[in-house]
Amino acid sequence: MTSTPPASRPSGPPLAPRSPHTHTQHGVVRDDPWFWMREETPELLAHLAAERAWYESSCAHLESLVSTLRSESKLRVPATARSARWARHRFYYYTSHPTGSDYARLSREIRNDLEAPTAVFEGAGSDHNENSSAEEVLLDVGSLADDSGYLDLGLTLVSPDENLLAYSVDRAGDEVFELRFRDLTTGVDLPESIPRSYYGGAWSADSAYFFYTVHDQAYRPCEIWRHRLGTPVGDDVMVLEEPDERFDLNVRLTRSGEAIVLLSESRDTGESWYLDARAPLSAPVSIGGRRPGVVYRAEHVRSGPLLLVTNDDAVEFRLMQTAVPTGDQDASHWSEVRAEDPAERLERADAFDGYAVLSLRTGGVHTLRILPLDDLGGSGRDLVSRFPTGAVRLARNTWYDATAVTVCDQSYVEPRVWSDVDLVSGTPVEQHREEAPGHLSTDYVCETRHFPSPDGTLVPATVIRHQDTALDGSAPALLYGYGAYEYTFEPDWDPSLPCLLDRGVVFVHAHVRGGGEGGRRWWLDGRLGAKQNTFTDFAAVADGLAAAGLVDGDRIVGRGLSAGGLLQGVAFSQRPDRWKAIVAEVPFVDVVTTMFDATIPLTVNEWDEWGDPRRRADFDWMLAYSPYDNLPPAGSRPDLLVTGAVHDPRVMVQEPAKWVAALRASDPAWSPRCAFRCELGAGSHVGPSGRFGHLDYEAEVHAWILDHLR
């Protein structure tokens, strides 16, 4: 938030001009007078600038509070910070934040704890002092920044011989990454530069080739290319192309170092290919073909089979295996090694020397299960979080031959703790603990409560508060939700959250249907024609909190981002009486029009999540909840904060801009109570970049929320 002199502040919110336009589909006529916003014109940019000016003006009285919240948050961030380390054959790697830096550095130190098998790699170690344990900075991310004000990394992958680094940079927030390669023996970048790449990449075993993904103008990763280091980019070879617009491609090198897995997935269907990392010029071969509704992901056991996590005849997924294919094959070559447990959602399998670690959800709790490779159907050893409502997950583990794996444990109020867990005994040894100066986790209480939705489904919610804040109906609440793509928001420490808790706000995360907290069935019951369950669940948690006398029912604010922004838009439309205020961040709110437009990024591959409006049934259920098409009655609306970004490739800025314009025009008296915070320059889907940029943004949002919870 920037300070605006009183004399230059706007007298009121902007009113977007109308231009007659109608849509007619399935015999239904819809007026859309702000359809013109789909094009990035000078008129649109001027309007967005006016909206930003109104946001700054309407929130000017919060500048002191924003400054206080920002300072409090940053006090919980150590001046310098270092991550847990992860091992490769010759080095330990870690990231660190220099004093006052927004961005991290990637560094490494020589391993002195074993005789590293460097002879495997030609030339490995030739330019290093193997007896030195001094820090070697490989990439100072902050040095890559320009005057755009935005910086994000897509990937940082060290080559198998540990002499090269592949890294990619986005300086606009549009997720178009420039891919570069750095010679780690000299610290100098190679001359070749790939101007357009996406997430995902893989090295060949000999470190001579790099595989990367490229996305089209609709931001769909649809091609995988192979680059030979030291050659012109124009000589790169396309290895795989995905013509079906519902599917996204990705590529990775497995931990074994012997297999490259190429993956194509839609929302509910997938296909994987195997490519021998030791023969990078060979063609990828299909591991199991493609069947509608069947998803599978592959992990490689060194000198052994591929492990497959799949929903083939198993709603909550089972574990299968297959020999490394020598040609395209179908699923008849698979065999089951661990049957589906309907009470557990199997998410992934990670292979190590002699062991596998399964990631799964059981009873809504994330669990790691360690199993010997020769007893994958056994009971194994389970690891769960040590913290109430916390979550434990595998950290970055790049060494296949490890005798212990590193896990990360955290909660909403507990900074991250990394431990090395012995694969044989299951005994954890703490390796590293994230610092949070001045923060006492014992000051806060975290618990899980359940609230009934109208159909009888119990919706879990995580409730976090300061120990001095009673759940007696007197405290205000911030209710957060998402509920899409089977995505699970695991508890995540954020230095800004205590700012709310310390001021008596109860933070509640509603785990509504459509997300993955309750497994695959929880998602299936909140997508497509069942999408209304997501919205009903969110309101049910708010109603339940009030009815049980836990919080002040007149002071509940809803918040969500992207698909969670849609959730807030529907909550705003369907239950305007329920909320003191709503925060809808980069909201997907023009559902029907967007899903009809296949030229918009991420539309076609979203049909399996929301529906294809070309089908009448899908059109009807989407139209029934689309916030832009279902404005709440004038005179009954809560206050509203909306965010957006001009360079956002996931939710185009036209969505929040059109919605705000329609809301203002339909209720002029309410319009000044709506603020639209639009990123006009560089900025991404999730807001500003950098660890301090994030805290600055949260301070603005939290100040607005606190102002409305007084």
Side-chain angles (χ1 to χ4, degrees), residues 32-152:
D32 191 357
W34 295 281
F35 184 74
W36 62 269
M37 290 185 178
R38 70 192 302 272
E39 302 293 339
E40 188 177 311
T41 62
E43 291 77 15
L44 174 62
L45 295 178
H47 174 70
L48 296 178
E51 284 285 8
R52 180 65 185 231
W54 174 248
Y55 163 77
E56 301 283 356
S57 175
S58 64
C59 296
H61 65 290
L62 300 176
E63 289 178 5
S64 176
L65 179 57
V66 170
S67 178
T68 298
L69 296 174
R70 182 189 298 122
S71 298
E72 289 180 9
S73 297
K74 292 181 179 180
L75 285 174
R76 299 186 189 95
V77 178
T80 59
R82 177 169 166 166
S83 74
R85 65 186 188 179
W86 61 93
R88 300 286 297 269
H89 290 276
R90 297 161 50 212
F91 295 92
Y92 283 115
Y93 294 80
Y94 55 91
T95 61
S96 61
H97 280 86
T99 302
S101 175
D102 243 340
Y103 302 102
R105 297 186 306 196
L106 174 63
S107 303
R108 69 183 181 186
E109 296 174 356
I110 291 288
R111 292 187 64 175
N112 292 318
D113 56 350
L114 82 168
E115 184 179 348
T118 56
V120 174
F121 306 113
E122 181 180 354
S126 59
D127 291 285
H128 296 281
N129 177 4
E130 297 292 339
N131 295 317
S132 171
S133 61
E135 177 183 24
E136 179 186 359
V137 177
L138 307 182
L139 184 69
D140 184 350
V141 179
S143 69
L144 305 175
D146 59 15
D147 58 5
S148 70
Y150 184 86
L151 180 65
D152 191 25

Side-chain angles (χ1 to χ4, degrees), residues 246-266:
R246 297 173 301 159
F247 288 77
D248 292 347
L249 286 176
N250 206 341
V251 59
R252 68 180 181 91
L253 175 67
T254 61
R255 188 178 291 104
S256 71
E258 298 176 350
I260 294 173
V261 175
L262 301 84
L263 173 65
S264 182
E265 276 190 345
S266 69

Side-chain angles (χ1 to χ4, degrees), residues 599-649:
T599 67
I600 292 178
L602 307 179
T603 290
V604 176
N605 61 357
E606 297 281 319
W607 285 341
D608 291 332
E609 180 73 23
W610 312 105
D612 182 348
R614 296 174 301 179
R615 298 189 293 255
R616 179 60 194 258
D618 298 28
F619 172 85
D620 286 344
W621 75 54
M622 296 161 76
L623 183 61
Y625 66 73
S626 174
Y628 182 68
D629 298 290
N630 295 275
L631 305 180
S636 65
R637 302 173 181 180
D639 288 8
L640 178 65
L641 173 61
V642 181
T643 71
V646 170
H647 291 290
D648 186 351

Side-chain angles (χ1 to χ4, degrees), residues 18-327:
R18 297 170 178 258
S19 179
H21 186 89
T22 59
H23 304 281
T24 303
Q25 296 113 353
H26 304 295
V28 178
V29 178
R30 295 182 298 123
D31 289 327
D32 191 357
W34 295 281
F35 184 74
W36 62 269
M37 290 185 178
R38 70 192 302 272
E39 302 293 339
E40 188 177 311
T41 62
E43 291 77 15
L44 174 62
L45 295 178
H47 174 70
L48 296 178
E51 284 285 8
R52 180 65 185 231
W54 174 248
Y55 163 77
E56 301 283 356
S57 175
S58 64
C59 296
H61 65 290
L62 300 176
E63 289 178 5
S64 176
L65 179 57
V66 170
S67 178
T68 298
L69 296 174
R70 182 189 298 122
S71 298
E72 289 180 9
S73 297
K74 292 181 179 180
L75 285 174
R76 299 186 189 95
V77 178
T80 59
R82 177 169 166 166
S83 74
R85 65 186 188 179
W86 61 93
R88 300 286 297 269
H89 290 276
R90 297 161 50 212
F91 295 92
Y92 283 115
Y93 294 80
Y94 55 91
T95 61
S96 61
H97 280 86
T99 302
S101 175
D102 243 340
Y103 302 102
R105 297 186 306 196
L106 174 63
S107 303
R108 69 183 181 186
E109 296 174 356
I110 291 288
R111 292 187 64 175
N112 292 318
D113 56 350
L114 82 168
E115 184 179 348
T118 56
V120 174
F121 306 113
E122 181 180 354
S126 59
D127 291 285
H128 296 281
N129 177 4
E130 297 292 339
N131 295 317
S132 171
S133 61
E135 177 183 24
E136 179 186 359
V137 177
L138 307 182
L139 184 69
D140 184 350
V141 179
S143 69
L144 305 175
D146 59 15
D147 58 5
S148 70
Y150 184 86
L151 180 65
D152 191 25
L153 291 181
L155 58 82
T156 52
L157 294 174
V158 175
S159 60
D161 66 6
E162 300 183 71
N163 287 335
L164 294 163
L165 172 69
Y167 71 94
S168 61
V169 182
D170 168 22
R171 295 184 176 88
D174 58 1
E175 299 181 57
V176 176
F177 295 91
E178 178 192 12
L179 178 61
R180 300 298 305 266
F181 303 95
R182 178 162 294 183
D183 184 340
L184 298 182
T185 66
T186 65
V188 177
D189 285 352
L190 301 184
E192 58 257 44
S193 170
I194 298 168
R196 186 180 182 92
S197 70
Y198 203 55
Y199 306 101
W203 286 98
S204 61
D206 62 3
S207 305
Y209 294 88
F210 190 78
F211 296 79
Y212 61 94
T213 60
V214 173
H215 47 345
D216 58 21
Q217 295 306 308
Y219 292 86
R220 181 179 71 93
C222 57
E223 298 171 349
I224 295 176
W225 289 73
R226 183 183 66 233
H227 174 71
R228 180 175 176 82
L229 276 293
T231 66
V233 173
D235 294 341
D236 289 3
V237 176
M238 186 168 64
V239 175
L240 185 65
E241 181 179 18
E242 177 53 77
D244 192 327
E245 293 180 277
R246 297 173 301 159
F247 288 77
D248 292 347
L249 286 176
N250 206 341
V251 59
R252 68 180 181 91
L253 175 67
T254 61
R255 188 178 291 104
S256 71
E258 298 176 350
I260 294 173
V261 175
L262 301 84
L263 173 65
S264 182
E265 276 190 345
S266 69
R267 295 299 172 198
D268 60 4
T269 302
E271 181 175 8
S272 293
W273 293 262
Y274 163 84
L275 193 152
D276 189 341
R278 298 158 296 185
L281 302 185
S282 61
V285 294
S286 182
I287 297 170
R290 185 178 302 186
R291 290 173 290 155
V294 175
V295 175
Y296 61 97
R297 293 189 174 185
E299 169 71 321
H300 183 240
V301 176
R302 183 180 290 168
S303 303
L306 293 167
L307 302 179
L308 306 170
V309 174
T310 179
N311 68 338
D312 183 15
D313 199 28
V315 175
E316 299 298 345
F317 290 68
R318 57 177 170 159
L319 187 64
M320 305 188 77
Q321 70 176 15
T322 183
V324 170
T326 57

Side-chain angles (χ1 to χ4, degrees), residues 414-432:
E414 293 278 0
R416 291 172 291 183
V417 178
W418 289 267
S419 300
D420 294 330
V421 179
D422 187 273
L423 287 168
V424 176
S425 66
T427 302
V429 176
E430 187 172 311
Q431 181 207 129
H432 186 74

